[in-house]
Amino acid sequence: MTPTERAHIAMFSIAAHGHVNPSIEVIRELVARGHRVSYAIPASFADKIAATGAEPVVYTSTLPTDDDPDEWGTELIDNIEPFLNDAIQALPQLAAAFEGDEPDLVLHDITSYPAPVLAHRWGVPAVSLWPNLVPWEGYEKEVAEPMFADLKTSERGKAYYARFEAWLAQNGITTHPDRLVARPRRAVVLIPRVLQPNADRVDESVFTFVGACQGDRAEQGQWQRPAGARKVLLVSLGSAFTKQPAFYRACVKAFGDLPGWHMVLQIGAHVDAAELGELPGNVEVHTWVPQLAVLRQADAFITHAGAGGSQEGLATATPMVAVPQAVDQFSNADMLASLGVARHLPMADATADALRAAVLELAGDPEVARRAEEIRRRMASEGGTHRAADLIEAELAAARPAPADA
């Protein structure tokens, strides 16, 4: 296939910023190259998808949303079972939506279980757009098996796996549930290789790292450093695990009225700014900020170390204090610290004194600045959005039969 040949590509994801945002610029680039992209997504993200030029295919989801992260529960089975429940009820919706308009290729986030099922049904290739760290050779024995051992012997866990296997079998798939997403045929990895644990053991014939696919984010708005602010600090715990008023108060205590510093504090939708008390003049508080625009002017970043925030900090060479909240954020925090551009500060230890000391140490260390700039340059060389689109077009070309006179 030549780059000018138009194809129909179907993308599948869930209503979560951490899973939609990494794909946005890739989708925008595919549309710009002339492809028709249908993007299956719940209604709350339809406008965001439409802005890329893709056509939103709206389906109803039963997954908890960023509006109430507590709905995810506290046990491992609570975290994974909703994805199966959602997949089972979403599959008929999605099959009907694409009936008679089947795509040439399926793209999907790692959370979208119906996508590989539909690709199998349609006989088209599936490519995973992977938004975080990937499994390496040996991952199952080193990480997955110990993590899932208790679940697999519990009654609820056995029922989950039996139901998952039965659903896959009904759809003609014999792949074990654990491998359905974790071991795709092909994946474009939307994080820099430098964030990947055991990168030397990753099968790069399957997983190709393309680095940050961020774009200019102009549609998110701009931010301007205030006059007189010699140093700028951004504090953000992302979009999901933001119910942390005590943590935000510690940040205000640590940096409020600190000479020369200006703090931009994003508190999310679950905390009222009034809970933080009286705010000094060098502190601005928002429910949401154009994060990349702030980071391009920031001198330090206190982050939950989600995949998106971590790579935005690296892409802007901003030193980070990582205060992880859940899932892969803990390993991301350790990886950032190992690169010499961040400190991992557990939430329980994130006092005002500890936060201030960590930020000042990082921001004042020229070796940290040197390492951060080196990583920024290395990331830029991975290709980003354009390379991701090239890889997807290569999959399209491989899937299409050669002309008879070739």
Side-chain angles (χ1 to χ4, degrees):
M1 190 190 88
T2 64
T4 56
E5 287 185 65
R6 182 177 170 88
H8 180 200
I9 299 170
M11 171 69 191
F12 297 81
S13 193
I14 63 170
H17 292 284
H19 292 270
V20 172
N21 289 350
S23 73
I24 287 293
E25 294 305 319
V26 179
I27 299 304
R28 197 189 309 277
E29 175 66 16
L30 290 169
V31 171
R33 293 186 183 196
H35 301 295
R36 179 165 69 95
V37 181
S38 304
Y39 198 124
I41 194 72
S44 58
F45 278 76
D47 289 347
K48 186 169 192 172
I49 297 307
T52 69
E55 178 186 356
V57 176
V58 175
Y59 70 94
T60 300
S61 173
T62 59
L63 286 174
T65 67
D66 289 345
D67 293 335
D68 192 359
D70 291 344
E71 289 184 12
W72 284 103
T74 57
E75 298 181 28
L76 179 58
I77 187 67
D78 297 330
N79 298 157
I80 63 173
E81 195 169 45
F83 291 104
L84 176 59
N85 295 339
D86 192 52
I88 291 172
Q89 68 85 35
L91 182 63
Q93 298 180 58
L94 296 169
F98 285 93
E99 187 173 2
D101 189 27
E102 290 81 6
D104 300 297
L105 179 139
V106 164
L107 296 177
H108 63 94
D109 181 74
I110 58 174
T111 57
S112 183
Y113 299 169
V117 172
L118 288 169
H120 175 79
R121 180 181 298 184
W122 296 329
V124 300
V127 177
S128 178
L129 291 188
W130 204 288
N132 51 18
L133 62 88
V134 305
W136 53 88
E137 296 309 313
Y139 173 86
E140 282 78 11
K141 287 194 174 298
E142 295 167 19
V143 178
E145 289 180 11
M147 182 185 300
F148 283 80
D150 290 342
L151 182 147
K152 289 185 175 182
T153 59
S154 70
E155 290 305 311
R156 190 175 167 192
K158 291 176 182 176
Y160 164 80
Y161 275 101
R163 186 172 175 230
F164 205 152
E165 289 177 1
W167 179 66
L168 291 176
Q170 289 166 10
N171 287 282
I173 295 176
T174 58
T175 303
H176 188 273
D178 288 345
R179 299 185 68 85
L180 180 73
V181 173
R183 292 294 177 178
R185 182 192 63 84
R186 193 73 175 90
V188 176
V189 189
L190 308 178
I191 66 169
R193 195 172 188 272
V194 73
L195 272 179
Q196 171 64 41
N198 300 304
D200 59 327
R201 288 196 275 152
V202 170
D203 183 353
E204 295 199 34
S205 69
V206 174
F207 300 99
T208 302
F209 295 90
V210 299
C213 300
Q214 295 168 342
D216 61 16
R217 305 275 177 89
E219 75 282 358
Q220 295 185 357
Q222 297 300 315
W223 181 87
Q224 187 60 49
R225 177 192 288 253
R230 297 197 304 272
K231 299 284 188 180
V232 169
L233 167 67
L234 172 63
V235 179
S236 171
L237 297 181
S239 58
F241 301 95
T242 60
K243 291 183 181 179
Q244 300 289 352
F247 171 76
Y248 301 137
R249 285 193 291 269
C251 291
V252 172
K253 182 179 179 182
F255 301 100
D257 290 330
L258 188 65
W261 281 84
H262 181 84
M263 181 169 69
V264 180
L265 178 57
Q266 177 178 291
I267 60 174
H270 307 299
V271 174
D272 190 323
E275 296 180 63
L276 309 186
E278 187 174 352
L279 297 174
N282 70 325
V283 175
E284 57 178 279
V285 176
H286 305 276
T287 58
W288 180 89
V289 298
Q291 182 163 287
L292 198 56
V294 179
L295 284 173
R296 286 175 178 141
Q297 303 174 65
D299 300 278
F301 182 22
I302 296 178
T303 172
H304 65 310
S310 295
Q311 63 181 316
E312 287 179 4
L314 292 176
T316 55
T318 309
M320 289 172 272
V321 175
V323 187
Q325 305 295 303
V327 291
D328 64 326
Q329 296 159 21
F330 298 97
S331 59
N332 289 342
D334 287 338
M335 182 62 72
L336 291 170
S338 73
L339 295 172
V341 297
R343 299 288 182 272
H344 179 177
L345 189 62
M347 191 65 164
D349 300 333
T351 63
D353 288 344
L355 288 165
R356 182 170 55 248
V359 166
L360 294 181
E361 179 186 354
L362 286 166
D365 188 337
E367 180 60 18
V368 169
R370 186 196 66 78
R371 288 178 185 143
E373 177 59 19
E374 179 185 335
I375 291 169
R376 185 197 67 76
R377 290 177 181 172
R378 198 185 316 166
M379 283 176 60
S381 71
E382 290 180 301
T385 302
H386 292 284
R387 187 173 183 217
D390 288 346
L391 291 166
I392 292 164
E393 287 190 328
E395 290 295 317
L396 278 166
R400 289 187 169 184
D405 59 351

